[in-house]
Amino acid sequence: MKTVKTVCPHDCPDTCSIVAQVEEGRVISTKGDPAHPFTRGALCAKVIRYSERIYSPDRLLYPLRRVGAKGEGRFERISWDEALDEIASRLKQTIQKHGSESVYCFEGSGNMGIIQMNAHSPFFHKLGASQGRGNLCSPAADVGWNYTIGAMLGSRPESVKQTDLFLVWGSNMASSNMHMLAFFKEAKKHGAQMIVIDPYKNRTAKQADWYIPIRPGTDAALALGMMHVLVEEGLINQAYIEKYTLGFPELSESLADYTPERVEQITGVPAEDVKRLARMYGQARAPFIRIGIGVSRSRRGGMSIRTISCLPGLVGAFHKTGGGALMFTSGAFPINMEAIYRTDLLPRETRILDNVRLGYNLMNQDVSPIKCLFVTGSNPVLSCPDAGMVRNGLLREDLFTVVHEQFMTDTVAYADIVLPATTSFESFDVFKSYGHTYLQKAEPVIPPLGEARSNYDLYTALGRRMGYTEDIFSKPIRDLVWDLFPSLQTNETLHDDFQQGKTIELFNIDDAFADGFPTPSGKLEFYSEQMKKDGYPPLPTYLEVDEEEGDLHLLTPPAHFTLNTSFGGVEALREKEGKPTLQVHPVDAAVRGIEEDGWIEVYNQRGSVQLWARLTDEIPPGTAVAEGVWWSRDTPDQKPINLLTSDRLTDMGWGSTLHDNRISIRKTQSKLPQE
């Protein structure tokens, strides 16, 4: 038996340090690292069972070639040499006939390590392939926050233990940010209160001192209503505003339109609650706002984040111990990302495609079509919006598709060549976090299962197969670390601590705003000249949008036990999650003849899926919630929830609008296949 430290690679702000127990080359158990200052010995319900994911019967262990029809999932085993030779040959033929922009790589966050997550970039830049912009996750949040604050920095997450008022705005922290929530519970022992603002009463909202339900997508209006009350009642820090902010006179004038009564009409939050919330915020000693990614996944997403992030500027919260706000901590990691991106390898400017619109990109024949598709770190058949169009695109006979994957997912079924990928326990990487400030190194815990290869091993090997001689295609992976983090070479103490696997910080986030904000003006910007130049309103505002047809607003947040599609290969976690469910208010169900829990049809103009209706008053009327993205085999009609979501883009950042869709519901008699 031996103990090995590693890191959780999944898309979660906590980026936990893991202590793995290994016996005879096999992972026996996983526990949280008690020595890590953020993990503090605790793991979530998913990662505590990580060995079951590593050894899942759904793991892919060998390269495969398709022998059946696309989507049928029939393959034959081949060698890595055969696979790489065929891929290289098809790439050369395709580029000669259709040009290099007919090649496109769809990447996801299947591995959050800095190297493995980005290892494909040099290869496709050198190839001259089409590039992608935006992603399914949070680009609108990045852009919106940066317009106000200037960089992806905020208050230290651990400092929430010193707050007296914690606003959790659109984040189910109990499921996806449990360690920061644990720090707040230390403040709660001293009388601090937690207010949760969310469209439904999730696990975190059930722990709140006050839960405020809000209509989806109207967050900016509520923030503006709070600002209206704060200014009107003098609950602002005028000295702080004059020293650290820009544009307060313009903001103050614009707030006249956002009376609590008007905000109630927009958000559904009673006017008296708007006033109470603003007063609690303005009178708090050190209020702290934790903003969730889900807020950004709508056509108003970027502006919503931009607007909420203005609130601390009115009360001086960023400079109060235990106060401020946090979106991401990504800016606390000074990284030379060009060392792994290698845009210098681009032979010329190439076309840019919206990653969120994969189905459209595959089906759009009006421009040069995609002829070779690579999928790495993602399961787009399930996770992409407008999933029906994605599937239709992957069925094209003239499309050559390569999927590098750990599991036999829905997307793998459409591949021509399947390549087995390592888990993070089987490869080297370096991890930053977007929810804390500690850099971590992860050495392999066990050898790769079967013939699995890491992203870095795959794309460097494929580069050599294509005849590329640049150093990035032969550099040992550990040497790349010094290119990414020059400070690890110049600081002997940091270098030694990193080499020894210790947790280190490269930037003191406590000093992030000591001398102002990293915006063009050096101040927190209520008024942003850059936004005006970019074609956006320069002041925070509530954007009106046209609603599509449908009776209910659909939300698709992560599931507690299976996250998105990442843990669908762990049977015990699927069982804990139960069945693919739509949570609906009893009133919304009753008017459609649905009087009790049971299977229903959920539909809109993009298609229909069958889900188990759970009638609950934890969902406000007019809203419906489907947590998680289930593998098709585990649904009654083999259809994913994202068949119903649109590939519309966010207002800024080219992100997904996965929380901005309308649906209708009706009865059905379907059952799961195993029932």
Side-chain angles (χ1 to χ4, degrees):
M1 181 80 73
K2 67 175 180 176
T3 299
V4 185
K5 280 181 59 174
T6 187
V7 184
C8 175
H10 291 279
D11 193 355
C12 168
D14 291 17
T15 321
C16 291
S17 178
I18 299 172
V19 176
Q21 293 288 339
V22 181
E23 187 176 272
E24 296 181 354
R26 185 179 178 89
V27 177
I28 302 301
S29 67
T30 49
K31 299 178 181 178
D33 179 5
H36 189 273
F38 200 74
T39 304
R40 299 195 300 175
L43 291 182
C44 70
K46 299 173 285 294
V47 181
I48 200 74
R49 309 185 71 134
Y50 210 77
S51 61
E52 296 174 47
R53 187 178 186 276
I54 295 170
Y55 302 110
S56 167
D58 294 307
R59 275 295 300 270
L60 286 166
L61 301 178
Y62 306 101
L64 304 172
R65 178 193 290 121
R66 177 171 65 88
V67 294
K70 289 197 173 191
E72 194 174 54
R74 289 200 298 119
F75 301 95
E76 64 178 1
R77 179 176 169 180
I78 57 176
S79 68
W80 267 100
D81 282 339
E82 289 176 292
L84 293 174
D85 285 344
E86 183 167 344
I87 293 168
S89 175
R90 289 294 295 265
L91 281 172
K92 291 173 182 177
Q93 293 173 24
T94 299
I95 291 170
Q96 184 177 18
K97 187 173 182 180
H98 302 283
S100 63
E101 291 182 353
S102 65
V103 181
Y104 173 55
C105 178
F106 183 87
E107 77 274 10
S109 302
N111 189 310
M112 297 295 287
I114 298 166
I115 298 175
Q116 303 295 353
M117 185 179 176
N118 299 288
H120 63 282
S121 296
F123 178 77
F124 290 105
H125 283 148
K126 175 67 176 178
L127 197 70
S130 290
Q131 299 180 73
R133 66 182 178 187
N135 56 58
L136 300 176
C137 191
S138 59
D142 295 350
V143 177
W145 176 272
N146 283 338
Y147 277 135
T148 302
I149 306 300
M152 293 316 301
L153 293 165
S155 303
R156 179 180 289 277
E158 299 99 311
S159 71
V160 74
K161 65 185 177 183
Q162 297 171 284
T163 190
D164 61 330
L165 184 68
F166 190 30
L167 268 64
V168 181
W169 204 314
S171 175
N172 186 4
M173 298 180 72
S175 294
S176 59
N177 196 189
M178 58 177 273
H179 294 84
M180 185 177 175
L181 186 60
F183 279 104
F184 165 72
K185 290 179 179 178
E186 296 179 32
K188 191 172 179 64
K189 294 176 183 176
H190 301 286
Q193 291 186 291
M194 180 168 73
I195 300 172
V196 174
I197 303 166
D198 205 280
Y200 80 111
K201 198 170 187 179
N202 54 40
R203 287 173 181 260
T204 308
K206 292 174 184 177
Q207 301 179 33
D209 296 287
W210 183 20
Y211 163 57
I212 302 175
I214 185 173
R215 288 188 186 123
T218 64
D219 307 272
L222 179 57
L224 289 162
M226 291 174 64
M227 293 183 205
H228 177 101
V229 176
L230 289 168
V231 173
E232 186 176 69
E233 299 188 4
L235 299 172
I236 57 175
N237 187 329
Q238 194 66 49
Y240 185 91
I241 289 170
E242 292 175 4
K243 181 177 181 180
Y244 286 105
T245 74
L246 176 72
F248 176 72
E250 295 90 339
L251 172 68
S252 181
E253 184 178 347
S254 73
L255 295 175
D257 295 333
Y258 294 98
T259 64
E261 291 72 25
R262 180 174 178 237
V263 169
E264 176 179 353
Q265 294 175 352
I266 297 171
T267 66
V269 178
E272 289 303 313
D273 286 350
V274 177
K275 296 175 186 177
R276 178 189 171 198
L277 175 62
R279 290 166 184 158
M280 290 180 69
Y281 185 75
Q283 294 167 0
R285 172 185 53 79
F288 194 120
I289 304 176
R290 178 62 164 121
I291 311 175
I293 292 173
V295 174
S296 73
R297 291 174 182 162
S298 81
R299 287 168 289 169
R300 305 180 180 101
M303 184 60 80
S304 294
I305 301 297
R306 186 275 197 274
T307 303
I308 297 168
S309 64
C310 288
L311 281 165
L314 291 176
V315 298
F318 276 121
H319 287 74
K320 295 179 178 180
T321 302
L326 182 65
M327 185 79 233
F328 301 128
T329 59
S330 311
F333 298 88
I335 310 175
N336 172 27
M337 287 303 296
E338 184 58 26
I340 187 67
Y341 287 157
R342 294 299 303 267
T343 56
D344 63 300
L345 299 181
L346 278 165
R348 64 190 178 285
E349 289 295 321
T350 59
R351 71 170 172 180
I352 298 176
L353 302 173
D354 294 320
N355 286 323
V356 170
R357 306 196 69 199
L358 176 60
Y360 173 82
N361 294 336
L362 292 175
M363 294 298 290
N364 183 12
Q365 300 296 312
D366 295 335
V367 296
S368 177
I370 296 169
K371 293 292 186 179
C372 284
L373 173 70
F374 284 70
V375 178
T376 182
S378 184
N379 188 6
V381 168
L382 297 185
S383 59
C384 273
D386 207 345
M389 189 179 294
V390 174
R391 290 188 180 210
N392 288 339
L394 291 172
L395 285 170
R396 280 176 38 207
E397 287 298 332
D398 64 332
L399 178 70
F400 179 68
T401 302
V402 178
V403 178
H404 188 215
E405 182 48 271
Q406 298 169 358
F407 294 92
M408 185 63 75
T409 65
D410 286 65
T411 302
V412 166
Y414 295 83
D416 294 286
I417 297 291
V418 182
L419 303 174
T422 54
T423 67
S424 63
F425 279 53
E426 302 155 56
S427 56
F428 173 86
D429 214 338
V430 182
F431 289 81
K432 64 175 184 176
S433 171
Y434 62 90
H436 63 68
T437 57
Y438 305 102
L439 185 71
Q440 301 176 82
K441 181 179 72 165
E443 294 284 353
V445 176
I446 56 173
L449 296 191
E451 296 179 5
R453 293 190 185 182
S454 71
N455 289 9
Y456 191 73
D457 288 343
L458 163 62
Y459 287 106
T460 52
L462 195 53
R464 295 192 296 271
R465 239 0 173 262
M466 294 290 289
Y468 302 157
T469 58
E470 287 80 3
D471 64 334
I472 191 65
F473 300 108
S474 57
K475 184 187 291 286
I477 190 169
R478 286 167 180 78
D479 291 353
L480 190 57
V481 173
W482 317 121
D483 299 332
L484 288 163
F485 296 98
S487 61
L488 291 180
Q489 290 196 73
T490 58
N491 186 310
E492 185 176 344
T493 300
L494 286 177
H495 178 277
D496 292 345
D497 286 348
F498 177 81
Q499 287 288 65
Q500 294 170 30
K502 294 181 180 179
T503 300
I504 61 175
E505 277 190 307
L506 301 179
F507 177 86
N508 184 4
I509 198 171
D510 298 321
D511 298 331
F513 309 127
D515 300 319
F517 291 80
T519 58
S521 66
K523 297 185 176 185
L524 184 150
E525 296 192 353
F526 297 132
Y527 184 97
S528 169
E529 191 65 38
Q530 187 61 53
M531 291 190 76
K532 186 177 180 180
K533 291 178 181 177
D534 293 342
Y536 300 113
L539 288 166
T541 188
Y542 173 72
L543 303 173
E544 298 288 348
V545 297
D546 295 328
E547 295 287 0
E548 63 183 11
E549 294 181 5
D551 307 316
L552 304 173
H553 192 117
L554 174 66
L555 300 175
T556 57
H560 185 73
F561 291 106
T562 56
L563 193 62
N564 32 54
T565 74
S566 300
F567 289 85
V570 182
E571 183 178 1
L573 294 175
R574 293 199 307 271
E575 291 175 354
K576 282 181 174 290
E577 207 61 62
K579 45 174 77 80
T581 299
L582 187 76
Q583 300 178 54
V584 186
H585 194 279
V587 170
D588 288 329
V591 297
R592 294 159 183 85
I594 302 167
E595 302 290 346
E596 59 185 5
D597 293 0
W599 294 108
I600 60 170
E601 184 180 3
V602 186
Y603 64 97
N604 59 20
Q605 67 270 35
R606 286 177 285 276
S608 71
V609 302
Q610 293 172 2
L611 299 173
W612 182 266
R614 183 165 75 83
L615 310 190
T616 172
D617 59 7
E618 294 173 353
I619 308 297
T623 299
V625 176
E627 292 182 334
V629 181
W630 288 75
W631 290 16
S632 294
R633 68 175 186 196
D634 300 315
T635 66
D637 52 359
Q638 287 75 59
K639 294 179 182 177
I641 188 65
N642 281 318
L643 196 70
L644 308 179
T645 55
S646 169
D647 66 356
R648 288 185 304 255
L649 300 176
T650 48
D651 52 342
M652 51 187 78
W654 305 287
S656 69
T657 56
L658 291 170
H659 292 332
D660 193 359
N661 297 280
R662 306 286 297 184
I663 56 167
S664 297
I665 60 175
R666 58 192 170 209
K667 284 185 174 181
T668 185
Q669 300 300 318
S670 295
K671 299 180 180 180
L672 280 171
Q674 60 265 37
E675 291 187 332

